[in-house]
Amino acid sequence: MVLPSPYFSLARRHVGGASAVASSSFFQLRRIALRLPLRFYPLPDPSEAGRLTLLKKHSYHLPRATLSSFSSAGDGEEPVAERKTPEEEEELPEMAKAFNISSRTATSVCFLIAFAALTLPLAMRSLAQAAGAKARALTYLTLLAGFYMAWNIGANDVANAMGTSVGSGALTLRQAVLTAAVLEFSGAFLMGTHVTSTMQKGILVAPVFQGKDTLLFAGLLSSLAAAGTWLQVASFYGWPVSTTHCIVGAMVGFGLAYGGVDAVFWSSLARVTSSWVISPVMGAAASFLVYKCIRRFVYSAQNPGQAAAAAAPIAVFVGVTGISFCAFPLSKTFAVSLAQALACGTAGALIVSKVIHKQLGHLLISEAEKGKITGEKPHRQNVSFLSDIAGPTGAQLEIVYGVFGYMQVLSACFMSFAHGGNDVSNAIGPLAAALSILNHGASVASEIVVIPTDVLAWGGFGIVAGLMIWGYRVIATIGKKITELTPTRGFAAEFAAASVVLVASKLALPISATHTLVGAVMGVGFARGFNSVRAETVREIVTSWVVTIPVGAVLSVVYTAILTKLLSFLI
């Protein structure tokens, strides 16, 4: 279920005659106050200063999500008796501040997740199939290692989908986390990679480790632990790093230390490192063009609201058609796949057009009639594609933000579902391989491993747990710390990133979803001027990218040395 954009509710407030507003204003204002984190923030872009007229007139600003405003991101009204003083706020844990909950509630949630993580493996089929006490103990340890990696994927990588939506105010933090939790788990469980190569995307040469079951088992567990450790450090500081690069670095370190130079596919490693440049550059270029198109063809139109309502179905048609053709083809025949994609794109465009006109139709008609009565053309700018265009004001701004806020929520939901289905294999692939070694030996694990359904669900639970406890940290970096985001900017970044990842995956180009989205957010900032991008944040992020593979490799070697000594006493 897709949560409605808050901007639709804002737009509906300006509809109807004076008598209708007078009779229902109290109930409308109360309903909005219960649902939206309305706060007063100055708009950051000087070129958009004309929008202050509308905001001052109606005495509110559009919601903008920051770490400081996360505390007001709840869905209900906080009782006066429970409001906290600034001194009490400082004593609350970060999680409690982010979700506007008490310290006791935050502690209880963490305790329940930890309790479930320690007890659920006892009821899993994988543990029941282990023969002997030692095998059960090692299986239990393996499941915990996989959960740890999945937890850190949820804490870090989920910001790819939800960070821009929270940063622009299209979703509150609580809405984003709840939505992502459902979609990430569904994607991991329903679309997770059921069949995976043990050597995780061709990084290690399997025959090198034939007859070394204990060493390979220790290496896989150590790789999970090493990648999880670095992801946890990155999440603590709010650095968005690639989970794929983490696990690749860890396995490369293990392979070099215990298998030699011949144990690593160096061509695969070269493709991974090249994505450090390719991903952000392609993401920035695509988002720059998308955002400039929005400003040129929507902001400078005679009726920006009507232009936005007309552009949204076109964007949905292009996106759904591309996704259906590239990711979910029903046939291997080109003509059938193309027809299916076009049909899906058309259906999606019609649905979105109907929803937009249902939600904003009264305001669209009102603006059109106002133009007919006055005979004015309130917003017309004849400018070039790269010119700096002032944004619309008044009710036109409401419509534009309403349309793109809803579009951004849709794109975030799709990215969240796809992320759960794709990136869960970074945790579950090595986990399934290690379980296969325990049950059948390295000879079977070196070929193909079928991932059990309960293990897929286990990985999905780990992603959701990490998202709930630490996900807000990286969401804040993606959404606010790189550049200021609005619904139009957030949609441009998300749509561009999704398009680049989709095309690159189809063309087998080395790409990272995390790096692409960070580059896309930077591209939107560059479209507004180079000073709109915070250089210090970008330097921290790029540094974390560069050190990801080396740090993962070193940690994997250390963990493998420790684990092999422990296993020598147990086995």
Side-chain angles (χ1 to χ4, degrees), residues 31 78 103 151 154 200 302 308 314 351 394 415 477 507 526 528 563:
R31 187 184 341 154
E78 184 183 2
S103 177
W151 186 93
Q200 189 65 26
Q302 291 185 6
I314 297 175
I351 292 173
M415 286 191 68
T477 299
L507 298 177
F526 291 147
R528 299 165 49 228
L563 189 56

Side-chain angles (χ1 to χ4, degrees), residues 288-302 304 307 379-390:
F288 182 91
L289 293 175
V290 171
Y291 186 58
K292 281 296 185 181
C293 284
I294 292 174
R295 296 187 72 90
R296 174 63 183 85
F297 299 108
V298 175
Y299 281 10
S300 65
Q302 291 185 6
H379 199 86
R380 179 70 177 179
Q381 301 183 45
N382 295 318
V383 292
S384 65
F385 182 77
L386 297 178
S387 297
D388 187 14
I389 303 171

Side-chain angles (χ1 to χ4, degrees), residues 49 84 139 154 195 213 257 409 414 520:
K84 302 173 181 63
T139 300
V195 179
D213 294 7
V409 172
F414 170 75

Side-chain angles (χ1 to χ4, degrees), residues 33-352:
L34 289 172
R35 289 195 305 171
L36 295 180
L38 298 180
R39 298 178 67 85
F40 295 82
Y41 288 97
L43 291 174
D45 192 345
S47 66
E48 300 172 3
R51 306 178 188 188
L52 290 173
T53 303
L54 170 72
L55 300 178
K56 290 179 180 179
K57 178 180 178 181
H58 297 284
S59 302
Y60 68 86
H61 281 299
L62 299 179
R64 306 293 294 280
T66 64
L67 273 179
S68 61
S69 66
F70 283 167
S71 60
S72 63
D75 296 327
E77 187 180 51
E78 184 183 2
V80 176
E82 295 183 4
R83 295 189 184 275
K84 302 173 181 63
T85 64
E87 292 76 12
E88 292 173 333
E89 281 285 336
E90 292 180 359
E91 297 176 358
L92 287 176
E94 289 288 338
M95 179 181 174
K97 292 180 183 178
F99 292 100
N100 190 30
I101 57 179
S102 66
S103 177
R104 180 177 298 178
T105 303
T107 303
S108 299
V109 170
C110 294
F111 175 80
L112 289 175
I113 291 176
F115 179 79
L118 293 174
T119 57
L120 285 179
L122 300 176
M124 293 178 65
R125 185 183 305 173
S126 300
L127 188 67
Q129 292 176 346
K134 290 184 178 179
R136 288 192 181 93
L138 292 175
T139 300
Y140 182 79
L141 178 64
T142 303
L143 291 171
L144 289 183
F147 175 86
Y148 179 62
M149 178 62 180
W151 186 93
N152 283 288
I153 291 175
N156 195 288
D157 240 22
V158 176
N160 293 342
M162 291 298 171
T164 56
S165 297
V166 173
S168 69
L171 288 175
T172 66
L173 178 67
R174 187 176 298 180
Q175 288 174 335
V177 168
L178 292 177
T179 303
V182 174
L183 293 173
E184 289 280 342
F185 182 85
S186 300
F189 185 73
L190 299 176
M191 295 184 61
T193 307
H194 287 267
V195 179
T196 182
S197 170
T198 299
M199 294 300 108
Q200 189 65 26
K201 301 182 180 179
I203 296 298
L204 297 183
V205 181
V208 173
F209 298 97
Q210 288 292 336
K212 302 177 181 179
D213 294 7
T214 302
L215 177 61
L216 183 57
F217 174 79
L220 291 172
L221 253 64
S222 298
S223 297
L224 287 172
T229 300
W230 175 239
L231 277 175
Q232 187 170 2
V233 172
S235 299
F236 179 81
Y237 289 103
W239 300 332
V241 297
S242 172
T243 57
T244 303
H245 289 191
C246 286
I247 194 68
V248 165
M251 299 194 76
V252 165
F254 162 71
L256 285 176
Y258 295 93
V261 177
D262 295 333
V264 178
F265 285 113
W266 292 105
S267 58
S268 298
L269 183 60
R271 290 168 60 84
V272 169
T273 53
S274 66
S275 70
W276 291 341
V277 177
I278 295 175
S279 299
V281 169
M282 291 181 65
S287 65
F288 182 91
L289 293 175
V290 171
Y291 186 58
K292 281 296 185 181
C293 284
I294 292 174
R295 296 187 72 90
R296 174 63 183 85
F297 299 108
V298 175
Y299 281 10
S300 65
Q302 291 185 6
N303 190 328
Q306 191 67 47
I314 297 175
V316 170
F317 175 80
V318 173
V320 174
T321 300
I323 291 166
S324 301
F325 182 75
C326 296
F328 307 108
L330 297 179
S331 173
K332 294 183 179 180
T333 305
F334 176 81
V336 176
S337 298
L338 182 60
Q340 166 224 333
L342 292 173
C344 291
T346 302
L350 292 175
I351 292 173
V352 168

